[in-house]
Amino acid sequence: MKIPFLSSLLRLTANWKVITKITAGFGSVIAVFIVVLALSFWNFVTIGHEVEEMESAAIELSLAADIEIKFLKMIRAAREFVQKGDTKSETETRKYSVQLLGAIAAAKKGITVESLHALILEVEEAFKSYFADFKIVTKLKREHDTYIIESLDPTGDMMFADLDEFVREAEAESNETLRILSFEAREDAFLI
């Protein structure tokens, strides 16, 4: 004879084993899914931070390269000024110095790494010293050019006239030694 309650209980117990196994299986899948989701999120956040660091490093590198390029252009123009003494190279040196100051200011704002920021400050101090020296050289070059134009050139012309007069007088007196020495002095003055 069958007891309906007992057979229902046995079926329910048999079903509980199946339900437990199915629930455990789904629970395991959900647990694995949650772990994979957590690891994925953690990796995504880590990669995001690394991309931000790389972007920041690229910006800092760009700022440093901009300073270097402008500094090299300024130095080239300054050297050209020292060689030629022309207004064009002086103007270019001043133009590049203004651009360099702008690049340094941008780098001071854009670079966050303390050690690199300290280097930017050192570059700024070196630039200020360099440009102060350039101003001194510019002033001395102008004074030099003015001295040559106003003093040496007229004096040189007078010296040539005097030496030419010595040569003429030596020829008039037939003093060959004075003529040769006066002519050699004139050649030496011309070379100077």
Side-chain angles (χ1 to χ4, degrees), residues 129-144:
S129 174
Y130 186 90
F131 198 70
D133 291 344
F134 176 77
K135 287 180 181 178
I136 292 169
V137 167
T138 303
K139 180 182 174 204
L140 291 174
K141 176 70 173 144
R142 286 187 186 132
E143 289 174 1
H144 173 264

Side-chain angles (χ1 to χ4, degrees), residues 60 111-121:
E60 290 174 355
I111 293 179
T112 57
V113 177
E114 195 62 36
S115 62
L116 296 178
H117 199 267
L119 287 174
I120 295 299
L121 294 177

Side-chain angles (χ1 to χ4, degrees), residues 1 59 68 81 96 100 154 175:
M1 153 163 180
I59 290 170
E68 184 177 9
F81 173 75
Y96 291 131
L100 180 59
N175 187 344

Side-chain angles (χ1 to χ4, degrees), residues 64-79:
D66 192 37
I67 289 173
E68 184 177 9
I69 289 169
K70 287 181 174 47
F71 197 75
L72 291 173
K73 285 181 178 180
M74 185 193 73
I75 288 173
R76 185 189 67 218
R79 285 184 182 163

Side-chain angles (χ1 to χ4, degrees), residues 163-176:
L163 289 172
D164 287 342
E165 184 64 31
F166 280 140
V167 170
R168 280 192 294 277
E169 287 177 11
E171 287 174 348
E173 296 175 3
S174 296
N175 187 344
E176 190 62 26

